[in-house]
């Protein structure tokens, strides 16, 4: 089945689900409808150029118009949604035609020529309508009194964690695209390319411009792999290639993939450590089950990384002791993963219910991006890591726990920076679907 056929088959039920969620949210708030703004371009300070446009995720949840500012949706949960499609007369920029696609028949479509003339397309009495979007000053100028009401947002955000079949089709395809990029990056690394050249190879095969990525690619060679959000890509290759950590995604119809792999150029010792983290990823994915807290998933991975530190002679303690003393946090300083979907770090990771009640943060791991109870149709990243970060190791060396560390062994691995292995997982009632490995990306 072609991807377009899959999208067309699953989209009607997706729209039905969004309508039902909207209807529930509106009834709870006692309002008539939502006016969802796609957003608008932002001009650079003291300049006539604009930053790349980023669409409102609430807008792209309904339809895949990703690069279209000044568009609007009018939704009431019952009638056919209305799309106000911005199509200006403009010879400076590309003017988008309305797509003839699988989704267009599900909207009543009106055309907008001048962005500041949208009011005539909106309901006259806006007291019972809520503006959903970023541009509060625009909402106020148009006369909206309700702007991003909390109870509506809590409901929509909480339920966004449960993906429709249409969304899962999109996320599988985003993984397929990203995997092509990861394979090209691995090949470029084997040819001793620079960080910038590796990233260009990735963009070429994914057919993404940089601003179309769901996040800035992390492409770190050698010690740069120890910088968790490293994006300062070097033009020239280092004198000697030791390692590559690439955390890079792709977008499809507004949905994200988020994948990480780490490679050793010639060190068998480091390759074995990579293999160990890959096994932690696989073991942790097996623990992801409906009814389990995502905090427990992190605690499981945390212990596994502690075992890896012990097995490879980095600490002179049993794994449990290394965890209790929080030594592991100096080597694994981030969470095990997060919700994934319309955004890379998708919303509502800590919500207990659709009224906005939050789970109590973990005292030992307050930085986690999710603490929800896992349920079917949710999508998570699983991404354990093991790093040699100078600042954290300096703190560890100055602490009372320094005596438990094999510093010669640690210093040996500093040149490699670190390791992260990240897959994207769909939770089903009876199994987990690893859409990264099942779409063709291995751990070697």
């Amino acid at each position: 089945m072609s991807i377009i056929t899959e999208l067309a088959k699953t989209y009607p039920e997706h729209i039905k689900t969004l309508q039902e969620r909207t209807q529930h949210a509106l009834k709870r708030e006692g309002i008539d409808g939502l006016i969802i703004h796609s957003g608008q371009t932002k001009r650079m300070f003291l300049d006539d150029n604009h930053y790349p446009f980023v669409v409102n995720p609430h807008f792209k949840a309904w339809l895949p118009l990703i690069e279209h500012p000044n568009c609007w949706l009018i939704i009431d949960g019952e009638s056919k949604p209305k799309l106000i499609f911005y199509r200006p007369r403009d010879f400076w920029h590309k003017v988008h035609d309305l797509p003839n696609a699988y989704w267009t028949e599900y909207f009543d479509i009106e055309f907008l020529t001048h962005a500041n003339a949208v009011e005539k397309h909106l309901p006259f009495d806006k007291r019972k309508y809520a503006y959903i979007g970023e541009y509060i000053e625009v909402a106020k100028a148009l006369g909206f009194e309700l702007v991003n009401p909390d109870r509506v947002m809590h409901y929509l955000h909480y339920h966004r964690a449960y993906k429709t079949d249409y969304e899962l089709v999109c996320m599988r395809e985003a993984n397929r695209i990203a995997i092509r990029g990861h394979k090209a990056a691995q090949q470029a690394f084997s040819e001793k390319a620079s960080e910038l050249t590796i990233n260009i190879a990735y963009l070429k095969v994914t057919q993404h411009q940089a601003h179309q990525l769901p996040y800035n690619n992390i492409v770190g060679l050698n010690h740069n792999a120890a910088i968790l959000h490293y994006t300062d890509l070097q033009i020239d290759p280092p004198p000697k290639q030791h390692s590559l950590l690439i955390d890079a995604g792709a977008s499809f119809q507004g949905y994200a993939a988020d994948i990480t792999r780490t490679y050793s150029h010639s060190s068998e010792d480091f390759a074995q450590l990579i293999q160990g983290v890959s096994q932690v990823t696989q073991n942790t994915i097996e623990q992801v089950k409906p009814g389990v807290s995502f905090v427990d998933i992190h605690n499981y991975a945390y212990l596994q990384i502690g075992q890896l530190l012990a097995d490879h002679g980095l600490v002179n303690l049993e794994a449990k002791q290394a965890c209790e003393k929080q030594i592991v946090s100096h080597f694994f300083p981030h969470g095990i993963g997060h919700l994934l979907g319309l955004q890379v770090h998708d919303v509502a990771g800590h919500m207990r219910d659709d009224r906005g009640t939050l789970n109590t943060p973990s005292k030992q791991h307050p930085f986690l991006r999710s603490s929800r109870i896992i349920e079917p149709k949710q999508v998570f990243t699983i991404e354990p890591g093991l790093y040699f970060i100078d600042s954290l190791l300096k703190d560890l060396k100055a602490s009372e726990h320094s005596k438990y560390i094999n510093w010669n062994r640690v210093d040996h691995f500093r040149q490699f920076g670190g390791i992260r292995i990240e897959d994207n997982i769909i939770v089903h009632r009876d199994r987990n679907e690893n859409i990264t490995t099942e779409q063709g990306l291995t751990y070697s």
Side-chain angles (χ1 to χ4, degrees), residues 247-350:
D247 183 337
S251 294
F252 181 75
Q253 306 289 82
Y255 290 85
D258 179 5
I259 302 170
T260 310
R261 287 294 184 267
T262 308
Y263 304 102
S264 174
H265 197 276
S266 56
S267 169
E268 183 61 30
D269 205 14
F270 187 61
Q272 289 178 2
L273 199 56
I274 294 172
Q275 185 178 5
V277 177
S278 298
Q279 191 61 55
V280 173
T281 301
Q282 295 171 69
N283 294 346
T284 304
I285 289 169
E286 292 178 0
Q287 305 303 309
V288 177
K289 295 179 176 66
V292 176
S293 167
F294 203 69
V295 176
D296 292 339
I297 300 302
H298 178 81
N299 289 335
Y300 175 86
Y302 193 78
L303 180 60
Q304 290 263 302
I305 293 296
Q307 188 62 56
L308 202 57
L309 293 172
D311 290 345
H312 286 260
L314 291 158
V315 300
N316 303 315
L317 283 173
E318 293 182 355
K320 186 177 180 181
Q321 293 175 301
C323 291
E324 289 171 350
K325 297 178 184 298
Q326 294 190 281
I327 291 172
V328 175
S329 296
H330 292 82
F331 296 91
F332 178 27
H334 60 75
I336 190 58
H338 49 81
L339 288 166
L340 182 67
L342 288 163
Q343 295 170 276
V344 176
H345 300 140
D346 222 354
V347 292
H350 296 292

Side-chain angles (χ1 to χ4, degrees), residues 15-209:
I15 286 292
K16 180 181 177 183
T17 299
L18 294 187
Q19 289 276 58
E20 290 172 350
R21 290 176 185 172
T22 301
Q23 192 176 60
H24 285 299
L26 294 178
K27 285 183 177 179
R28 191 164 77 173
E29 189 68 7
I31 59 178
D32 292 341
L34 306 179
I35 312 293
I36 306 176
H37 185 197
S38 71
Q40 58 192 43
T41 55
K42 295 180 183 179
R43 183 171 289 184
M44 298 176 183
F45 184 55
L46 301 179
D47 204 332
D48 62 355
N49 287 309
H50 294 80
Y51 294 106
F53 173 69
V54 178
V55 69
N56 175 359
H58 284 277
F59 184 88
K60 67 176 178 174
W62 286 84
L63 72 179
L65 291 180
I66 312 304
E67 300 187 1
H68 296 70
N70 304 312
C71 293
W72 301 75
L73 285 171
I74 303 176
I75 313 291
D76 66 11
E78 295 182 11
S79 10
K80 192 174 185 179
K82 180 193 212 178
L83 167 64
I84 302 169
F85 184 80
Y86 180 57
R87 198 177 190 282
R89 297 186 183 95
D90 185 355
F91 56 82
W92 290 103
H93 309 98
K94 178 177 174 58
V95 176
H96 295 276
D97 292 321
L98 179 70
N100 180 17
Y102 60 88
W103 57 265
T104 51
E105 66 180 282
Y106 296 93
F107 295 85
D108 286 330
I109 300 170
E110 298 180 3
F111 290 92
L112 176 65
T113 304
H114 300 284
N116 59 3
V118 69
E119 188 168 12
K120 67 181 181 180
H121 297 272
L122 302 177
F124 177 76
D125 186 355
K126 302 180 184 67
R127 287 175 298 177
K128 300 284 280 183
Y129 284 84
Y131 171 91
I132 306 296
E134 175 184 0
Y135 292 89
I136 310 304
E137 70 282 2
V138 172
K140 296 298 184 183
L142 288 170
F144 286 96
E145 298 176 7
L146 291 170
V147 178
N148 299 323
D150 285 343
R151 282 158 55 90
V152 169
M153 301 298 273
H154 289 328
Y155 186 91
L156 296 178
H157 288 169
Y158 180 82
H159 289 281
R160 203 165 96 190
Y162 305 100
K163 302 299 187 285
T164 66
D165 288 343
Y166 166 82
E167 293 178 298
L168 297 181
V169 169
C170 292
M171 296 183 73
R172 291 185 189 102
E173 185 64 19
N175 263 258
R176 289 189 195 105
I177 295 168
I179 286 166
R180 292 199 293 267
H182 275 267
K183 290 179 178 179
Q186 183 183 13
Q187 178 62 35
F189 171 62
S190 71
E191 296 168 358
K192 300 183 179 181
S194 70
E195 292 168 344
L196 182 62
T197 301
I198 292 170
N199 193 52
I200 290 171
Y202 186 98
L203 294 174
K204 181 177 180 180
V205 300
T206 58
Q207 299 182 21
H208 279 49
Q209 297 182 58

Side-chain angles (χ1 to χ4, degrees), residues 285 423-426 432-439 443:
I285 289 169
D423 290 348
N424 302 169
I425 310 301
I426 301 172
N432 293 325
E433 178 186 349
N434 187 329
I435 52 175
T436 303
T437 59
E438 291 185 23
Q439 300 302 329
Y443 294 111

